[in-house]
Each structure stands twice: as C-alpha cells, then as structure tokens.
Amino acid sequence: MIIAERKPVNEIVEMVRDAKRVLVLGCRGCVSVCSAGGEREVELLSSLIRLGKQKQGQKAEVIGATLVRQCDKEYVDEIDQWQGQYDAIVSMACGVGVNFIANLRPNDQVYPAVNTTSFGGSTEQGVWSEQCAGCGDCVLHLTGGLCPVARCAKSLMNGPCGGSVEGRCEIHQEVPCIWQFIHERLNRFERREDLERVAPIRDWRSAGHGGPRKTVRPDLTL
Amino acid sequence: MAFTPNIQVFCCHYTSQQALAEGREGLTADGFPPNANINRLVCGGKLKVSDLLAAFEQGADGVCVVGCRPDECHNLMGSQRAARRVLAVKKALEELEVEPERVAMFHLERGFHPEFVRVTQEMNEKVQQLGPSPFKGEQG
C-alpha cells in the first residue's frame, strides 16, 4: 500500500493562512491503514489547525470529513456536499488524492497534509517499510521475490555491491543488504543460475523516466 | 492580578474513585485546586489524543492525565496507552511551539487520595509559572 506521514503542523497552518474555513479531508484507503490520514487523523489535524490558528490570534472554522477514496472521481465528487462551506481543502490522502482534487476542482485551493513516502507494508505494529518502487518492470521472479530496486540503496540490478558489512548495507547500517538476502534465498531454492545471469542495462522509462505513466485496461473501460 | 489557570484533569475511574467519592467539597478541603476540573474516564486507554487537544481548544491552560501505575492497570494496558497519547500531545504542542509541559501524565496507585491532590497541585503550580495558554490569543 501507499505509505504517507503527516507534514509538520506549522507547515500546514502556513498553507492555509488566508483561509477562514478549512475542509480537512481524509481518505479511508491506504493512509487510513498506515494511520496518516484516516478518520482519526482528520480529527487530530482539524484540532491542530484550529489551535495553530488560535495561537496566531485567528479563528478558523474547520470541517473534518473522510472520503472512501480520493483516487476515484466518483468519490471525489462527494466534496460537493460541502460546497460553499470552505475556502481551502487540506487533503490527508496520498499525493494522488491531492492531484485528483486539483484535476477535478479547478476553482478549489487544495493543499497536501501528508508526505507520500513509499509503497510498503507493516513489518511490526507502528512500523512500515518500503518494499516496492513501482518501477513498472518487475524483476521479482529473478530475485526470489525480494526487490533490489526498492530495497537496495543503490537499486543495483547485479548485486551485491561488495560494500555491505555483516549483511548490513554500507549506506544505511540499520538496513539489511537485500542482495545478501536474495543470494541466500536463491541458494536455498538451488537457483544459483539466476544469480549468474547478468542483468542487462535497464530501461528506466517504465519507472517514470519516460514521463507520467498511464495504465489502460480496455476490458474495463466504458 | 494573579493568573488562575484552567486545569483539566483526565483521570481513570480506578485511580480516582477514592478521590471522587469525597465530592468537590471534600477534595477542596484537602487542597485540590478549585480551578481544576475532573474529567473521569472508564479507563485511561479510552483517552484519545483529540480529547486532550480539544481541552486546549476549549480554553485549558494545562491538562493532566492521571492513571494507574503501568504495571497495575485494572485493564492491563490502559494506563500505558494513555501515557503514549500524552506523549503524542506533547509532540503536537512542540510542533506548534507551545510548552509541552502544559500536558503531563501521572501514574498513581489506585485510590491513593493525597497523591492525587498533590499531582494536581503540582500541575497547577507549573502552569501558573508558564502563564496563560498561547492558544488563547486575541481572536480577530
């Protein structure tokens, strides 16, 4: 899922400095699972914006609400119910939600309340770690299901780099060397031939270097 | 004129039952600050970060949470959860550049009355030193 974390409150308060009425809009998708922008976080941020404004001697009306998702037009349309009740929207969805509101609402000011950080999973309660870089050309079938693009600090396709110490990445000591894991795992499955294969120079266009990516499923279009 | 802070006390039912049994008059006679208001919870674990922030929004100058000792919580983890939420509010206050000391967690033995009064007095004195809440700025 998409992982996000809330921006510092003062940064958000500064974004809405000219707004007297703010709609804080959460999302019940990924950001609610990683506790960054669901219903509970909307309640908190609404309170923090009011307090931040109060501290500056201003009064702000803050409406808190959540949509099922902010990455689908039909759900974004639900914003209509607050029409005329806000001067600015603070979206707690990932960057996709902010973009969707900006796309669909040409006259609405929309601001991001979170930093969208990665595609990850919960490794333990309250901890999320990046597992996938969404690069558009998956190599997991060659690497024992472990992603070198997302999980190797150098995104090496032919690893390891030789710099790891006791299985730890030389760049981030707290991170295990994913290439060591890949080797151990492929060895366990007696798939050493996959390790001996030299990966060709990669075409990164699918990773966004060729401009915004688009997925079309003709079978699903109307 | 001396500043009289608005102190909101959130307390666990089990920690405060003896104190609350005395009623307001009894508590005041024991030295419980008259400017402190008790908000009783079924358990510290019930406390939400937003409840504490709402107290500041509604004019509190200081907020204190009183719960059982971490290893003596009637509901096992409630008191520890309350402490974590107090820490989250401290962090939020720091983000807003407001003294984090305006919110505090106290772990007390269940029903131990003099300690309950003492921590509220302590909080009252601390907030008196800090002055009025910066959230009470003149509103335009």
Side-chain angles (χ1 to χ4, degrees), chain A residues 142-220:
Chain A
L142 299 172
T143 57
L146 305 171
C147 181
V149 180
R151 301 176 67 184
C152 166
K154 302 172 187 179
S155 292
L156 288 184
M157 300 308 291
N158 293 291
C161 65
S164 63
V165 179
E166 293 179 350
R168 297 269 144 191
C169 176
E170 69 172 348
I171 294 180
H172 303 292
Q173 298 273 310
E174 73 281 8
V175 174
C177 170
I178 198 64
W179 270 106
Q180 175 152 345
F181 278 17
I182 292 170
H183 276 246
E184 286 168 358
R185 200 163 155 80
L186 292 180
N187 271 322
R188 201 176 307 134
F189 299 136
E190 298 187 350
R191 281 173 50 192
R192 288 175 201 87
E193 70 279 5
D194 283 341
L195 293 170
E196 286 161 12
R197 187 181 311 179
V198 177
I201 292 171
R202 194 181 158 99
D203 179 352
W204 288 100
R205 279 177 297 186
S206 65
H209 296 239
R213 292 165 287 177
K214 189 172 187 174
T215 301
V216 180
R217 284 274 304 270
D219 56 322
L220 297 178

Side-chain angles (χ1 to χ4, degrees), chain B residues 5-9 33 35-38 60-64 120 123-124 127:
Chain B
N6 172 340
I7 305 287
Q8 293 297 317
V9 184
N35 49 309
N37 179 51
I38 295 178
D61 297 294
V63 174
C64 71
T120 47
M123 192 68 193
N124 192 31
V127 178

Side-chain angles (χ1 to χ4, degrees), chain A residues 15-206:
Chain A
M15 290 175 199
V16 294
R17 65 186 177 281
D18 297 327
K20 292 202 181 332
R21 299 169 307 165
V22 178
L23 172 61
V24 175
L25 203 55
C27 175
R28 286 181 220 146
C30 307
V31 289
S32 82
V33 182
C34 69
S35 295
E39 205 163 324
R40 196 172 36 183
E41 291 75 27
V42 164
E43 195 182 1
L44 279 184
L45 182 61
S46 301
S47 192
L48 290 171
I49 290 175
R50 279 191 294 265
L51 286 169
K53 289 267 195 184
Q54 276 177 224
K55 189 166 171 254
Q56 293 172 354
Q58 298 168 2
K59 194 170 170 62
E61 283 176 38
V62 181
I63 305 170
T66 55
L67 301 184
V68 173
R69 284 196 296 277
Q70 292 187 29
C71 52
D72 262 316
K73 182 180 177 303
E74 64 182 289
Y75 296 120
V76 173
D77 285 347
E78 289 178 17
I79 295 174
D80 282 342
Q81 65 189 290
W82 299 287
Q83 192 63 43
Q85 295 178 50
Y86 58 85
D87 307 316
I89 299 174
V90 171
S91 167
M92 298 200 79
C94 69
V96 179
V98 181
N99 272 272
F100 255 59
I101 294 170
N103 291 339
L104 297 166
R105 302 273 158 161
N107 298 318
D108 280 0
Q109 303 267 15
V110 58
Y111 300 102
V114 304
N115 290 321
T116 307
T117 56
S118 60
F119 302 158
S122 176
T123 49
E124 57 186 279
Q125 175 84 25
V127 179
W128 292 270
S129 69
E130 184 168 15
Q131 306 288 317
C132 170
C135 70
D137 187 8
C138 197
V139 295
L140 294 174
H141 56 300
L142 299 172
T143 57
L146 305 171
C147 181
V149 180
R151 301 176 67 184
C152 166
K154 302 172 187 179
S155 292
L156 288 184
M157 300 308 291
N158 293 291
C161 65
S164 63
V165 179
E166 293 179 350
R168 297 269 144 191
C169 176
E170 69 172 348
I171 294 180
H172 303 292
Q173 298 273 310
E174 73 281 8
V175 174
C177 170
I178 198 64
W179 270 106
Q180 175 152 345
F181 278 17
I182 292 170
H183 276 246
E184 286 168 358
R185 200 163 155 80
L186 292 180
N187 271 322
R188 201 176 307 134
F189 299 136
E190 298 187 350
R191 281 173 50 192
R192 288 175 201 87
E193 70 279 5
D194 283 341
L195 293 170
E196 286 161 12
R197 187 181 311 179
V198 177
I201 292 171
R202 194 181 158 99
D203 179 352
W204 288 100
R205 279 177 297 186
S206 65

Side-chain angles (χ1 to χ4, degrees), chain B residues 8-101:
Chain B
Q8 293 297 317
V9 184
F10 290 84
C11 59
C12 150
H13 162 77
Y14 294 97
T15 319
S16 62
Q17 57 188 340
Q18 190 180 328
L20 287 164
E22 282 209 24
R24 188 80 215 185
E25 278 183 24
L27 277 173
T28 307
D30 286 337
F32 187 79
N35 49 309
N37 179 51
I38 295 178
N39 303 274
R40 196 176 185 187
L41 306 162
V42 287
C43 169
K46 181 81 176 162
L47 190 64
K48 294 188 293 181
V49 174
S50 52
D51 295 331
L52 300 174
L53 292 177
F56 284 107
E57 279 192 60
Q58 287 155 18
D61 297 294
V63 174
C64 71
V65 180
V66 184
C68 310
R69 295 195 194 283
D71 57 347
E72 291 173 1
C73 175
H74 177 84
N75 294 312
L76 305 180
M77 297 282 288
S79 186
Q80 293 176 52
R81 291 200 172 104
R84 280 175 181 267
R85 284 157 202 167
V86 167
L87 280 179
V89 175
K90 280 184 180 289
K91 191 164 169 265
L93 293 181
E94 275 175 353
E95 274 194 79
L96 289 165
E97 290 160 8
V98 169
E99 306 91 341
E101 298 86 3

